[in-house]
Amino acid sequence: MKSITEIYGLLTTPRRVAITTHQKPDPDAMGSSLGLYHFLRSFGHQVTVISPTNWASWLNWMPGTDKVIDFEASPDKAEEALKNAEWLFCLDFNIFSRTKNLAPKLYEVRCTRILIDHHQQPDADNFEYGASDTSKSSTCEMIYDFIVGSGHRDRINNTIAECLYAGVMADTGSFRFASTHAGVHRMVAELKDKGLDHAKVHENIYDNFLENRLRFLGHVLMNRMELYYEYNTALIAISKKDLLRFQIKTGDTEGLVNYPLSIQGIKLAALVIDRDEERKWSFRSKGGFDVNSFARKYFNGGGHFNAAGGRSPDSLETTVQKFLEAMKENASALK
Ligand code: 5GP
Ligand code: MN
């Protein structure tokens, strides 16, 4: 993988460009994709954003979401865009398997593949160019670096600022995680100078749910959260029945895994959701417990040191048992 700086000089020549990101895009995935979309379009590039799956409806305020192709809903349109693309940007994921059923298509494409991502251990061999930096708060910060580094900071407008701010805000837990280095605040200061209404973005993301989601949260914290104080660990397991009862949609479970970490002494929080096709794990940690390695070792996943995810083909009961065994195996690191 060559440095992304090598394509800076090519930006002013219009091309057909596709942008994709991980399945079930979150604010950083969607914000970086659309921030880059608006930036590239300002040069006259023909740009298509492809999401591997659907996304939370509370992201639909973001400028450009109405143009995003959902690969699962419109596979033909997505494949057409991939076939025609000269450049393919892959944002906010480190390995094609994070795009679920889109992955085989990404391996197949003949065009130039460019990675921009902040996860650990990227699959660099599959990209011609890229920027991969785990010290970055978010992929949105990296899109900002890309715009500024390529000498086009004057193209950042309020539309781009809204998209990029959403991702930085979400991935830094509203600027509280250790990943919030000084450069993040300098970036946000510049976005403010471009006219960003940050309170509006915050409201669009955090005050934009339906009643059922809050009722579900109450139910989960009351009835589904198990604490294993001996291991400083909390586990939330959510069944299909719970999802149906509260009419849970894509995005409604976002952020749930963070709640147990607010309990004194809890170092590891785990959430597993019984999705149709797999059991989806989320892990968060405080301090020195490495959930990236944990997710890789036990649940075919990965991510960051303090935030990672994984999956399992086992039943909910079986995968929970495996988690409890893994927790015990890691007793010394958790204590
Ligand atoms: P979340 O728990 O919000 O789904 O994911 C937490 C972090 O881990 C995110 O940065 C996400 O990209 C990453 N992640 C989630 N699931 C997986 C997975 O199955 N494999 C890998 N490699 N990373 C994941
Ligand atoms: Mn991210």
Side-chain angles (χ1 to χ4, degrees), residues 174-237:
S174 299
F175 309 99
R176 58 178 279 238
F177 298 150
S179 59
T180 317
H181 56 91
V184 171
H185 289 292
R186 277 193 286 268
M187 163 189 168
V188 172
E190 184 172 346
L191 301 183
K192 286 296 292 176
D193 285 339
K194 302 283 183 178
L196 170 73
D197 182 351
H198 71 277
K200 187 183 104 185
V201 175
H202 196 280
E203 217 172 279
N204 279 334
I205 290 194
Y206 293 117
D207 302 335
N208 201 6
F209 296 107
L210 301 178
E211 178 186 339
N212 70 313
R213 198 253 181 190
L214 217 60
R215 303 267 178 216
F216 172 68
L217 175 63
H219 164 73
V220 165
L221 296 182
M222 187 74 189
N223 305 309
R224 297 289 180 261
M225 183 173 69
E226 301 288 344
L227 291 159
Y228 303 91
Y229 284 112
E230 205 187 330
Y231 301 94
N232 298 315
T233 294
L235 168 66
I236 296 174

Side-chain angles (χ1 to χ4, degrees), residues 25-299:
D26 56 11
D28 191 36
M30 193 59 102
S32 57
S33 298
L34 288 173
L36 181 63
Y37 166 85
H38 294 296
F39 172 64
L40 292 177
R41 275 171 54 95
S42 77
F43 295 97
H45 295 285
Q46 194 187 311
V47 193
T48 310
V49 178
I50 302 166
S51 169
T53 64
N54 68 349
W55 56 87
S57 58
W58 45 260
L59 284 175
N60 285 340
W61 60 271
M62 215 182 264
T65 39
D66 55 324
K67 304 285 188 314
V68 177
I69 297 174
D70 171 353
F71 170 68
E72 285 186 341
S74 314
D76 295 346
K77 267 201 210 164
E79 284 186 47
E80 181 76 12
L82 282 177
K83 206 175 71 201
N84 291 332
E86 295 160 89
W87 278 357
L88 170 67
F89 281 90
C90 295
L91 306 185
D92 202 35
F93 67 83
N94 49 1
I95 181 160
F96 287 149
S97 61
R98 293 280 292 127
T99 68
K100 214 177 152 189
N101 300 331
L102 183 61
K105 309 287 170 205
L106 300 185
Y107 280 109
E108 265 169 31
V109 293
R110 289 274 152 264
C111 67
T112 303
R113 290 183 295 220
I114 306 160
L115 175 75
I116 304 181
D117 176 55
H118 66 138
H119 294 91
Q120 303 194 2
Q121 292 134 302
D123 192 11
D125 290 348
N126 278 307
F127 300 93
E128 280 76 57
Y129 301 96
S132 165
D133 188 347
T134 56
S135 75
K136 291 291 168 184
S137 65
S138 54
T139 302
C140 280
E141 182 191 346
M142 299 179 77
I143 298 296
Y144 170 83
D145 291 346
F146 179 69
I147 296 173
V148 172
S150 61
H152 299 289
R153 110 179 307 141
D154 53 310
R155 289 179 189 251
I156 300 176
N157 55 21
N158 192 27
T159 301
I160 294 175
E162 281 191 348
C163 298
L164 298 186
Y165 182 79
V168 175
M169 181 191 72
D171 265 29
T172 59
S174 299
F175 309 99
R176 58 178 279 238
F177 298 150
S179 59
T180 317
H181 56 91
V184 171
H185 289 292
R186 277 193 286 268
M187 163 189 168
V188 172
E190 184 172 346
L191 301 183
K192 286 296 292 176
D193 285 339
K194 302 283 183 178
L196 170 73
D197 182 351
H198 71 277
K200 187 183 104 185
V201 175
H202 196 280
E203 217 172 279
N204 279 334
I205 290 194
Y206 293 117
D207 302 335
N208 201 6
F209 296 107
L210 301 178
E211 178 186 339
N212 70 313
R213 198 253 181 190
L214 217 60
R215 303 267 178 216
F216 172 68
L217 175 63
H219 164 73
V220 165
L221 296 182
M222 187 74 189
N223 305 309
R224 297 289 180 261
M225 183 173 69
E226 301 288 344
L227 291 159
Y228 303 91
Y229 284 112
E230 205 187 330
Y231 301 94
N232 298 315
T233 294
L235 168 66
I236 296 174
I238 296 179
S239 66
K240 280 206 182 80
K241 219 170 132 188
D242 284 339
L243 298 176
L244 280 172
R245 175 174 165 205
F246 289 90
Q247 294 176 293
I248 292 307
K249 304 240 163 20
T250 300
D252 282 346
T253 54
E254 186 95 19
L256 212 56
V257 63
N258 294 308
Y259 284 91
L261 275 192
S262 63
I263 300 172
Q264 241 177 44
I266 295 299
K267 286 186 188 159
L268 168 64
L271 166 75
V272 58
I273 297 172
D274 196 355
R275 293 221 184 120
D276 288 333
E277 66 284 13
E278 63 189 10
R279 265 41 63 207
K280 181 75 185 80
W281 282 95
S282 284
F283 305 103
R284 299 292 184 273
S285 67
K286 265 190 320 221
F289 188 75
D290 176 5
V291 286
N292 171 52
S293 303
F294 183 85
R296 262 169 209 279
K297 182 165 176 197
Y298 300 100
F299 295 101

